[in-house]
Amino acid sequence: MLGGVETRSVSPVFVGRADELAVLTDALARAAGGEPQALLIAGEAGVGKTRLTEEFLGEATRYGAVMAVGGCVEIGAEGLPFAPFSTALRTLRRRLPDEFATAAAGQEDELARILPELGDTPRGPHDEESTHRLFELTARLLERLAADRTVVLVLEDLHWADTSTRHLLAYLFRTLISGRLVVLATYRADDIHRRHPLRPLLAELDRLRTVQRVELPRFNRGEVRRQLAGILASQPDESLVDTVFDRSDGNAFFVEELVACMGNGCRTGLTENLRDLLLVRVEVLPEAAQRVARIVAEGGSTIEYPLLRAVAGLTEDELIEALRAAVGANILLATPDGDGYRFRHSLVREAVSDDLLPGERSRVNRRYAEALEADGTLVRAEERIIRLASYWYYANDPAKALPAALQASVAARCRHAYSEQLRLLERALDLWDSAPDEVREGLRPADYTEVYPPCGCDPATTPLQRLDLLAEATVAARFGGERERALKLTKIALQMLEDAAADQDLLRAAWFWTERSGLVASLARGDGWKELGIAQELVRGLPPSQVHAEVLVKAAGWGMVHSPGPDNLAAAERAAEYARMVGAEETELNARITVGCLRTDSGDPAQGFAEMRSVIERATALGVPLLAGRAYINFTSQLEAWGRSREAVELAQQGVQIVAKARLLDAEAWLCGNMAESLYSLGRWEEAAEAARRALHVGQSAAPRGSASARLGYLALARGELTEAATRLAAAHEHFGTHDTQPQHRIPLYRLAVGLAAGEGRPAEVRTEFAEAVGYGFPLASHRYAWPLLLAAATAEADARGLPSADAGRDAAVRLIRDATRGLATPAPVWAAHAEYVRAELLRAEGRDAVADWTAVEERVRPLERPYLLARARHRLGEALLTAGGDRQRAVGLLRAACADAERLGARRLREDLALLAQRARLPLTAHETPDRPAADTDPVEALGLTSRERDVLRLVAAGQTNRQVAEELFISPKTASVHVSNILAKLGVAGRGEAAALAHRLRLFAPVSPPAEAAPGRV
């Protein structure tokens, strides 16, 4: 190894870049204050990105920051998974051993996927959340390390980054919210062509306001002069400045190369072709040094000295002399850790590599591969397999390259680097036909694949098939987020199976159709039922197998959320039986979850709950948190469906602990969303909002985030925050998309839309939304979503009674709601209460409700532990008692109880309704108020702070008149009318004219109010 060998071709003076360095140091200062910083340094090759980074790291050293640098590695067509992060974390672990151990405690096995030194990586689980779990752990690790000290993480050469590295960097930039951390990445801007894989990431990061991009321009003439002065240690001649500036065009690296070339007498270097300039500097080296340079250029970004010694074919003394010459000429540099060599600049390496002859390139790669096969200790263990695959591939040896690519794909899968796994599997597919028959026949599924179940064959003795690789690649693409690619792979596989119709493998075809079903649904190309139907037909009549069981499980699961019924229950039970027969316990447990849900939906909650509880216990014992999580999700949902909200919350809390520990982020989001629903029912609204926000934060997929948005929308609506409710409704629609037809998602959004339209005084839209919901239909077991919708629609019709804009069509609207209640199940007391409530609201909409109707509602709701629903029922019962001249003291008690609940919940609209009712009836709503009766002519409008003119304007707005019509009626200008309307909206705290009109009508601000008679003091 060499040390201390250097030449003078780099300026010791840092030239220019003062503004750019100021941006970086400012970010460092902000990070020191606890605000994480994300930066990108962009510039063409040779423009000075590395030098700027080095100067910044010098500033960071003066700040006392802990620094870690990692570079993306170019090996053939693919990079090493997570290479820059592995290097950087390795540095942090070395510099902060105790702090690193504390920060990683309990998660070492998962983090070992990025930093293998932490231990053996677990076998699974592998799913679409696997990478998100790993990324979340990495982000939290960095936050903990940067909690008490400033940490600077530098990732160089992002243009070579593997897909997993790009995804992890994007995740960090999006999610880092605390810690004294600076994450800085550099990339070559001139390499980012239209189809470069980094381009989408850069577009995404441009949309993040938290990411700063620093663009490095070329030097101007004055800066080139300063650079030359630094290199030459004297002021250069102006003619030299002109020549170098013209030839280099201000590129800092080319300036250095031109000076070095001229210093060595290489006048031929001053050519039109700067690539030739770089090669001339190599060509003046001794032959042995040139040979070593060519070997290093083809080996990758950095070559370990032991590996270089094994490949070079020189004695150690000869190799040292050759390296000394290359390092002395500033062509090669020793790596910072002192165990290898790299080119001083990648431009030189690329020029040397490009200059290799085709036969020479394949021979060098073969020698690298043979050396690694002979001695696996020459490189890091985690790099050996992927580098071996690359070397054999570029050695043009399919017999060696195919198994090497397959081994590398397994290693990538173990690290959750699914995009790299996919690229390697696609390479294996390309090599398949070129590899000799005896090589293919010696490959076994057990060694390289795991996604396709062994149906009737021994994977240890059956030869690997091309379809096995297609299955593996399909799942890798899905796990890596490349669903379009996965869909194309299923099409290729199904075409292969169709072409082999004479001996078509029906189980394989069914497996691919099942995969295709999920992909079609996730890409909004359909609901996936057509594909599942084909899969079911293919397995019909076949003996039990794991594929058969999985097809039935997927079909039953689809039916459970789209159209539950006896057929789906039978399919789920048959799936569980088939899985049990073939010993596929995880598939059996999955089927039993569906069985439990469908039994509960069919009216047998005891059996259904027992089934799901049993699955949770077994899945926990087996250590399969993914299945336990699904069981918890469905169990808590079913408990809420049966009105057992308190139990649902307790069970959800248990489930969250299990899935959060396993980093099952979507499962955690679903459980938090279910918890939010139950907490809302129980009147624990602050906790509900916190749970829903947590679901939004941790959820990775659209569906749980859509449900969480809807939960927050219900809360906002109940609190009278209509703008917030509209925002949450729009977000939920965006998450679910147009293709999601599940009743559990569609019907609640109809309910939210109806409530929002009613609150904003848009009765026509209330009816439109409800009619659309009725057209969609209420499938079996959807009563839990349908009853709240019916109640919202019925309440809207009752509240709109007397509103001129709602008169036309009221009878038809009421009839449509009443018809929808027929045949809708009420299997639990909570839904029987809803049915009674809807009946009473429809009577109120027709002006036929009575005290007895609302008494029945209040009695039904009272035992349910539904405080908001109970407060609303008591409001209506109190109002009915006062209207009918009934028991005034009873009405006071009901309204006071309702008001207390409304205050505690923050239900602004209900509280306002109660306050106005109490004012009209001259009732004290609290024990501290005295029933001091105001004068009989007290105007309730004055209580809202409206002037006499604003009162007149509001009366006309409530009647549906426009500003121009109001102006004509009151003999004022339209502009003045508009000003009055704006003031009214502000005083009422509403967002629009419709909402103001609805509030005026709902509070009966302009209804004639008779003073209470002596014989009936409670009438209003």
Side-chain angles (χ1 to χ4, degrees), residues 465-530:
Q465 299 183 41
R466 189 184 187 94
L467 284 166
D468 291 316
L469 299 186
L470 284 168
E472 205 75 17
T474 297
V475 175
R478 177 161 58 84
F479 287 175
E482 300 183 47
R483 293 187 176 91
E484 285 285 2
R485 182 57 184 154
L487 195 65
K488 290 178 182 177
L489 288 167
T490 62
K491 183 178 181 180
I492 293 169
L494 290 169
Q495 186 62 55
M496 282 182 60
L497 287 161
E498 185 178 334
D499 292 344
D503 55 347
Q504 184 179 4
D505 188 334
L506 298 180
L507 287 177
R508 280 190 186 274
W511 186 91
F512 278 107
W513 277 112
T514 304
E515 278 291 313
R516 194 170 177 83
S517 168
L519 292 166
V520 164
S522 65
L523 289 168
R525 307 283 175 77
D527 58 15
W529 181 244
K530 173 187 173 184

Side-chain angles (χ1 to χ4, degrees), residues 967-991:
E968 292 173 354
E969 181 78 15
L970 299 179
F971 302 103
I972 58 178
S973 71
K975 183 176 181 180
T976 300
S978 175
V979 171
H980 283 311
V981 170
S982 297
N983 291 336
I984 290 168
L985 298 183
K987 290 180 179 181
L988 296 183
V990 296

Side-chain angles (χ1 to χ4, degrees), residues 443-462:
L443 301 174
R444 296 291 178 266
D447 297 325
Y448 306 113
T449 64
E450 64 176 29
V451 301
Y452 182 76
C455 298
C457 63
D458 182 358
T461 58
T462 304

Side-chain angles (χ1 to χ4, degrees), residues 140-153:
R140 301 294 79 80
L141 171 70
L142 291 172
E143 285 185 344
R144 293 187 190 109
L145 288 173
D148 302 319
R149 65 194 61 80
T150 302
V151 174
V152 177
L153 187 70

